[in-house]
Amino acid sequence: MVKRAAKGSARAPRRTDGLSRKLIIQTAIEILDSGGEKALTLRALTVRLSTGYGAIYHHVADKSDLLATATDDVITGVLSGAVADADPRTGLRHLALGLFDAIDAHPWVGAELSRQPWRPALLDFYESVGRLLEALDVPQEARFDAAGALVNYVLGVAAQNAANARLRAGGDTDRETFLKDAAAQWAQIDPGRYPFVHAAATRLGEHDDREQFLVGVDIFLAGIAALR
Amino acid sequence: MVKRAAKGSARAPRRTDGLSRKLIIQTAIEILDSGGEKALTLRALTVRLSTGYGAIYHHVADKSDLLATATDDVITGVLSGAVADADPRTGLRHLALGLFDAIDAHPWVGAELSRQPWRPALLDFYESVGRLLEALDVPQEARFDAAGALVNYVLGVAAQNAANARLRAGGDTDRETFLKDAAAQWAQIDPGRYPFVHAAATRLGEHDDREQFLVGVDIFLAGIAALR
DNA sequence: ACCTGAACACCGTTCAAGT
DNA sequence: ACCTGAACACCGTTCAAGT
C-alpha cells in the first residue's frame, strides 16, 4: 500500500523543474569557469543540481562526454558572432583572436581542445579559415597545409595561455607552490649559457600575451602570402 | 621472537640493488611508452620495481614530479644531438623536426609539454631557436615574438599529433569506440555546408603528418623572412 | 521515463612501523 | 637512510530499487 500525495499538491520532490542535458552542461560550465578542471567532479554536480549520480548519467554518457559538450558549447557561442565580410586578412585575425579570447576566458577549453582538436564545433572555424585563405588567393594545394598550420598555431598558443591562466587564477593551495616553482626556474637561467632565453624572460613582464599572439598570426599571414 | 637468516645467505630481500630516482623515472618512461599516460599508476610502478609506495615517494615528490622529470629526460636526450653549424634555415627545420619526432615516439611528452611548456629541458630549444633567428638577421625586437610563435606552433602540432597517435596505438578497449566516433564525425560533415573541411577530410588519408608539419614550419620561416 | 544513493573498483598520498 | 604496506580520502561509474 503506497501512499500517494493528493493530486497537484505538496509532495515536494527533489526537483520540481526536471533535469535536462542542457542544464547539466550549463552547470558544468559554471563549475569549470569558477574552479577549473579539478573542480568538476560528479559529486560537485550532484550537489549543485541536488540530484543523484544516476540522474546525471541518464542525460550524459560519461565525464568526457560532459567536457566535450561543454567545450562545444563555448566555442559555438563565440564563433557565431565572427567573420563579417571584411578584408580576408582582418577576417583571419578576428577569427584567431576570437578563439584566443574564448580560451582566455575559459582556460579549461584550451586543455580540452588540445586533447580533442577535431570537435565538431571547430568545423566552422576550419571552414572559415579555409574560405578566407581562398579569398587570399592561396593556391588549392597549399590551402590545406596553411589552414592546418594556422589552426595548430592558434590552438597551441591558446593552450599555453590557458596553462598560464591556470597559474595566475589559482585559488587553490597549489598556487603558491606553482608561482614559487616558476620563479625559481626563471631565476636559475644562466645568462651566460642562455642569453636569448634570459633576455626573453626579463622582457616577459612588460609583454601583452594577446599582442604577441597577434604578431604570430601576422608572421603566419606573411608566410602564407609567400605561397601565392 | 624474530627469526633471522644466517648472515650473507638466503634472506632474499625485495631489492638487492637499491632503488634510485633515476631507475624510477626510467621505469616510468617504459610504462608510459608502452601503455600511455593511463598506464602510469603508482601501483604499476611498485609492481614493476617490486617495492612499496613509500620507497617511490622517498625519491620522488609526487606523480607530477615524476611526469615532468620523465619529460625532461626525453627532451634532453633528443636535443643533445641536434643543431650543427649548417644554414640557419635548415637548422631550424632540423630542430623543429627533432621535437616533432620525439613527441611522435613518446606521445605522452606532447601532452605534458602543452601542460608545462616552460620546463627547463626546453631552454636549449628556445635558446637554439633564438640564435638561429639571429643568424637569419631577424631584428632584435621581432626575435622574441618570432621564437615564441615558432615554438608554440611546434608544440601545438606535436600535441595534436600525440593525440592522433593515442588513437592509433590504442591497445585499450577504448580504441574501437574512439575510431568509431571519429569516423562518425567525419561522415557527418555536410559537403554543402563545409566544402573546405570536407575536401580536407577526404585528402587526409593520403597525407603525411610529418610532411605537413614541415610545410607549416616553412610558412613560418617565410613569414619571419618578411620581418627582416 | 526519470531519479536515488549505496556500493564497487580504482586512484594518489600518507605514515607508523620495520630494517 | 631507506623501505614496507595498511589505511585514508577521493575519484568515476554502476545498478537494484524506488516513484
Side-chain angles (χ1 to χ4, degrees):
Chain A
M1 242 199 236
V2 181
K3 242 190 167 176
R4 274 168 219 268
K7 200 179 172 197
S9 92
R11 212 159 97 268
R14 284 303 184 100
R15 299 188 57 85
T16 49
D17 45 352
L19 210 50
S20 69
R21 182 178 167 89
K22 203 171 173 178
L23 179 60
I24 292 173
I25 286 157
Q26 192 185 315
T27 310
I29 292 179
E30 285 169 26
I31 295 177
L32 286 163
D33 281 344
S34 61
E37 299 175 65
K38 267 198 91 169
L40 181 65
T41 66
L42 270 294
R43 180 85 237 280
L45 265 179
T46 61
V47 171
R48 273 279 271 269
L49 292 166
S50 47
T51 48
Y53 296 101
I56 290 170
Y57 278 93
H58 191 265
H59 294 278
V60 148
D62 51 20
K63 204 193 170 181
S64 71
D65 177 26
L66 199 60
L67 259 168
T69 314
T71 303
D72 282 352
D73 272 24
V74 170
I75 298 298
T76 354
V78 164
L79 291 183
S80 64
V83 205
D85 42 359
D87 162 57
R89 216 171 304 271
T90 342
L92 280 169
R93 290 174 112 246
H94 275 37
L95 215 52
L97 213 50
L99 242 176
F100 181 89
D101 286 339
I103 297 180
D104 192 48
H106 312 273
W108 52 274
V109 170
E112 183 62 16
L113 282 182
S114 72
R115 240 171 276 142
Q116 302 214 334
W118 295 111
R119 289 262 87 207
L122 277 182
L123 277 186
D124 291 288
F125 185 68
Y126 283 107
E127 188 64 29
S128 302
V129 168
R131 286 184 192 178
L132 289 170
L133 287 177
E134 192 178 356
L136 272 181
D137 292 330
V138 176
Q140 249 262 10
E141 322 88 56
R143 224 178 288 155
F144 298 109
D145 293 335
L150 182 55
V151 172
N152 275 317
Y153 169 71
V154 173
L155 291 184
V157 183
Q160 174 170 346
N161 207 52
N164 291 343
R166 236 170 289 155
L167 292 189
R168 272 181 252 125
D172 313 356
T173 33
D174 300 332
R175 206 198 164 193
E176 263 185 64
T177 329
F178 273 26
L179 290 177
K180 215 165 63 182
D181 283 5
Q185 278 175 30
W186 285 119
Q188 272 179 3
I189 296 173
D190 177 1
R193 208 178 146 192
Y194 297 107
F196 178 74
V197 179
H198 187 263
T202 35
R203 242 193 61 147
L204 207 80
E206 348 150 354
H207 226 63
D208 182 9
D209 291 342
R210 202 161 176 269
E211 202 133 352
Q212 182 168 3
F213 168 73
L214 270 182
V215 173
V217 173
D218 285 341
I219 291 179
F220 235 105
L221 294 179
I224 284 171
L227 293 176
R228 207 170 5 175
Chain B
M1 254 214 225
V2 181
K3 243 189 160 171
R4 273 167 221 267
K7 196 182 176 195
S9 88
R11 208 157 101 269
R14 282 308 182 101
R15 298 190 58 86
T16 50
D17 47 350
L19 209 53
S20 69
R21 183 178 166 89
K22 203 172 175 179
L23 179 61
I24 292 173
I25 286 158
Q26 192 185 314
T27 310
I29 292 179
E30 285 169 25
I31 295 177
L32 286 163
D33 281 344
S34 62
E37 299 173 67
K38 268 199 89 167
L40 182 65
T41 65
L42 271 294
R43 180 84 238 280
L45 264 180
T46 59
V47 171
R48 273 280 270 271
L49 293 167
S50 46
T51 47
Y53 296 102
I56 290 169
Y57 278 93
H58 190 265
H59 294 277
V60 150
D62 52 20
K63 204 193 171 182
S64 72
D65 177 25
L66 200 59
L67 259 169
T69 315
T71 303
D72 282 353
D73 272 23
V74 170
I75 297 300
T76 355
V78 164
L79 291 183
S80 64
V83 205
D85 41 0
D87 162 60
R89 215 172 305 270
T90 341
L92 280 169
R93 289 175 113 245
H94 275 37
L95 215 52
L97 213 49
L99 242 177
F100 181 88
D101 286 338
I103 297 179
D104 192 48
H106 313 274
W108 52 275
V109 170
E112 182 62 16
L113 282 182
S114 73
R115 240 171 278 140
Q116 299 214 337
W118 295 111
R119 289 260 87 205
L122 277 182
L123 277 187
D124 291 289
F125 186 68
Y126 282 106
E127 188 64 29
S128 302
V129 168
R131 288 184 191 176
L132 289 169
L133 287 176
E134 192 178 356
L136 272 179
D137 291 330
V138 176
Q140 248 262 8
E141 320 85 57
R143 224 177 289 156
F144 298 109
D145 293 335
L150 182 54
V151 172
N152 275 318
Y153 170 70
V154 173
L155 291 183
V157 182
Q160 175 171 345
N161 206 51
N164 292 341
R166 236 170 289 156
L167 292 189
R168 273 182 252 127
D172 311 357
T173 34
D174 299 330
R175 205 199 164 191
E176 267 184 61
T177 329
F178 272 27
L179 290 177
K180 216 164 64 183
D181 282 5
Q185 278 177 31
W186 286 119
Q188 273 179 1
I189 296 173
D190 178 359
R193 208 177 146 195
Y194 298 107
F196 178 74
V197 179
H198 187 262
T202 37
R203 242 190 62 141
L204 207 80
E206 348 150 355
H207 227 64
D208 182 9
D209 289 343
R210 201 162 176 268
E211 203 134 349
Q212 183 170 0
F213 168 72
L214 271 182
V215 173
V217 173
D218 286 339
I219 291 178
F220 235 106
L221 294 179
I224 284 171
L227 292 175
R228 207 168 5 173

